[in-house]
Amino acid sequence: MSLDTPWALPITALAEATRAGRLSPVDLLDAYLDRIAALDGRYHAYVHLSQAARQAAEDAQREIAAGGWRGPLHGIPIAVKDNYTTADMPTRAGSALADADHPLRDGAAVARLRAAGAVLIGKTRMHEFAWGMETPPARNPWDDARTPGGSSGGSGAAVAAGLAAAALGSDTGGSIRIPAALCGAVGLKPTFGLIGRSGIIPHSWSLDTAGPLASSVADAAILVAAMAGPDSDDPAASGRTCDDFEAALAAGAGGMRVGVCRNHFFEALQPDVEAAVERQIERLAAAGADIVEFEIAELAHGLGAIFAIELSSSTAYHAGRIEAGTTAQMQPDVQLLVEMGRLVTGPDYIQAERFRRRLCERFAEAFEAVDVVVGPTTPLTAWRSGETSVELGGRTESALAASWRFTYPWNLIGAPAISIPCDLDRQGLPIGLQIAGAPFDEASVIRCAAALEAANGFPPRAPAA
């Protein structure tokens, strides 16, 4: 890879080139805009391009030339999911509703990216109000007949096709990691509360998590470190900042205690996915990691708990629209889910929260014996756009239920989890490996992910035309 195709380089390489003056932020922005013009008519990753991006790139170029380099994001084009409010771009959370416009202001994560010198290039397409796993009409750059996943599908497609250096997503039950897995990108869901959520349109207040999709583990770590910190407008914000992840990125997997939870996370898989993940576990063992197998029986009941919490939260947020009857103007699948929350009773919700607490306790016990837990991100690779059901393990399952089966447990317990590409299936589609850690132990997650990324040598982006 060379500076002739800067869109194919990770942020770490772009930062080195821009700081040294070998690549200007303005030329870098133009390279991405040219690629968007050439390819986004096919992939539909963006809903809006920023009119302020060129001025931001010019400012970054002038600052860097004057010795005012702010860090690795300075002058780097980053895309933003359409549920993050921004001061210079509209925010509609993927909806065509008349009342879907949100204030022109930067939320905490966006403000921190700007402070780090990032150039916000545009808003990415998402499934309406962060429901669903399709993100129509976005397409997967590995095969444009297939879905990029959801709800951050536009962000996944943008990163995979080289239409942004990285992109922001949001993750309530897997909406960063699922598009990352299906599109062959890296998706990092940090610990709940590590990144402030002010300015992010709510989906489920106790589950929503901000985070990045990127082309490498190091890039994802850079973005999380830049966005972490206090947020006075988010009562769930921890106020913590991140240490530099440089040591974790270089440490290797030797001596790590790697957990493999054999129940739930290894049930009803596509054979290629199962084989690829088993090879990754073998690779960690060969690198000196201690593989620890265990089971958590409570996982069998997790889907009901997260559905009760998520459905009731979404219904509460959209209560005014339900009363006014405007939910009929939503996409049909979204309308159904938004209105279904009315069927969740108060006792149902309390029982779901009780189960959630029990699951937190069980995983806390597990993390006394292991540093990370590894398994598939999704049980399948990208399915064809418009398919609502899939065949797995000899049974028919809804695509929605299948796609987030392995991701939602980490949302329930608020733990950090990353998806990295680890192989291709026999159709040439990416397979995602998920690595999770104890709350606020992003360092262990990043350490394990970086070690496997280095060993795999997997191409970070799709072979887009």
Side-chain angles (χ1 to χ4, degrees):
M1 295 182 185
S2 73
L3 294 182
D4 293 333
T5 55
W7 48 264
L9 297 174
I11 290 172
T12 49
L14 294 174
E16 181 181 349
T18 53
R19 187 181 190 186
R22 298 193 305 274
L23 177 66
S24 79
V26 172
D27 288 343
L28 178 59
L29 174 65
D30 284 340
Y32 279 109
L33 291 175
D34 288 348
R35 192 161 173 83
I36 291 167
L39 292 177
D40 201 42
R42 179 177 174 185
Y43 300 128
H44 307 287
Y46 284 93
V47 291
H48 184 87
L49 293 177
S50 172
Q51 299 301 305
R54 182 163 301 279
Q55 184 62 58
E58 291 173 354
D59 291 345
Q61 184 166 311
R62 185 167 50 253
E63 291 167 359
I64 293 170
W69 188 69
R70 301 188 203 177
L73 295 177
H74 202 175
I76 306 300
I78 307 294
V80 180
K81 186 177 178 179
D82 189 34
N83 60 346
Y84 285 74
T85 61
T86 47
D88 54 354
M89 291 180 280
T91 302
R92 297 189 57 82
S95 180
L97 290 180
D99 66 349
D101 282 315
H102 291 82
L104 292 171
R105 67 179 183 89
D106 288 343
V110 168
R112 284 200 166 85
L113 288 184
R114 288 199 205 272
V119 174
L120 303 188
I121 189 171
K123 303 298 276 289
T124 55
R125 195 176 301 277
M126 59 179 286
H127 209 110
E128 188 176 25
F129 291 116
W131 271 116
M133 294 300 172
E134 278 282 327
T135 317
R139 292 293 183 266
N140 193 315
W142 290 85
D143 178 349
D144 60 14
R146 297 178 185 271
T147 178
S151 62
S152 309
S155 291
V159 172
L163 308 184
L168 297 190
S170 61
D171 196 310
T172 304
S175 290
I176 288 171
R177 291 158 290 155
I178 294 165
L182 301 189
C183 293
V186 173
L188 176 54
K189 181 199 86 68
T191 303
F192 177 79
L194 182 65
I195 298 173
R197 300 169 302 164
S198 64
I200 301 177
I201 310 310
H203 178 60
S204 179
W205 290 280
S206 67
L207 295 167
D208 295 342
T209 308
L213 293 94
S215 64
S216 74
V217 175
D219 288 1
I222 287 167
L223 284 154
V224 167
M227 292 187 287
D231 181 359
S232 60
D233 293 324
D234 177 6
S238 67
R240 298 191 186 201
T241 56
C242 290
D243 294 331
D244 191 335
F245 291 122
E246 187 174 350
L249 289 164
M256 293 196 79
R257 301 172 302 166
V258 175
V260 178
C261 183
R262 284 293 176 187
N263 71 306
H264 184 80
F265 293 106
F266 286 81
E267 296 170 359
L269 305 177
Q270 280 183 350
D272 288 353
V273 171
E274 184 173 16
V277 171
E278 294 294 352
R279 285 193 294 271
Q280 295 295 293
I281 295 169
E282 292 170 3
R283 185 160 283 173
L284 287 168
D290 183 19
I291 308 302
V292 181
E293 298 201 4
F294 66 98
E295 293 190 357
I296 293 182
E298 287 85 350
L299 284 165
H301 309 292
L303 183 60
I306 195 167
F307 249 135
I309 295 167
E310 194 170 348
L311 286 168
S312 56
S313 297
S314 179
T315 299
Y317 177 71
H318 293 286
R321 293 185 173 112
I322 293 172
E323 184 176 353
T326 57
T327 54
Q329 300 163 30
M330 294 177 173
Q331 293 298 313
D333 60 331
V334 176
Q335 178 192 3
L336 175 64
L337 291 165
V338 165
E339 295 184 357
M340 273 177 62
R342 294 183 294 178
L343 303 177
V344 180
T345 67
D348 291 338
Y349 184 86
I350 295 302
Q351 290 286 57
E353 288 290 358
R354 288 182 64 197
F355 170 83
R356 185 182 192 177
R357 174 50 50 196
R358 176 57 179 157
L359 195 64
C360 287
E361 292 169 353
R362 293 288 285 115
F363 270 108
E365 294 167 1
F367 281 117
E368 291 177 1
V370 302
D371 301 309
V372 294
V373 177
V374 302
T377 308
T378 59
L380 74 171
T381 53
W383 58 95
R384 292 189 176 277
S385 294
E387 288 183 344
T388 58
S389 62
V390 294
E391 294 286 333
L392 288 170
R395 71 188 190 203
T396 301
E397 190 173 2
S398 83
L400 172 63
S403 62
W404 73 326
R405 192 171 357 122
F406 302 153
T407 55
Y408 75 73
W410 307 114
N411 295 86
L412 276 174
I413 71 169
I418 194 170
S419 179
I420 63 169
C422 69
D423 210 335
L424 300 177
D425 72 3
R426 65 194 67 191
Q427 300 176 89
L429 299 171
I431 296 168
L433 178 80
Q434 183 171 225
I435 304 164
F440 298 105
D441 190 11
E442 276 74 12
S444 290
V445 171
I446 288 166
R447 176 185 171 187
C448 185
L452 281 173
E453 181 181 71
N456 292 333
F458 193 82
R461 289 194 172 109

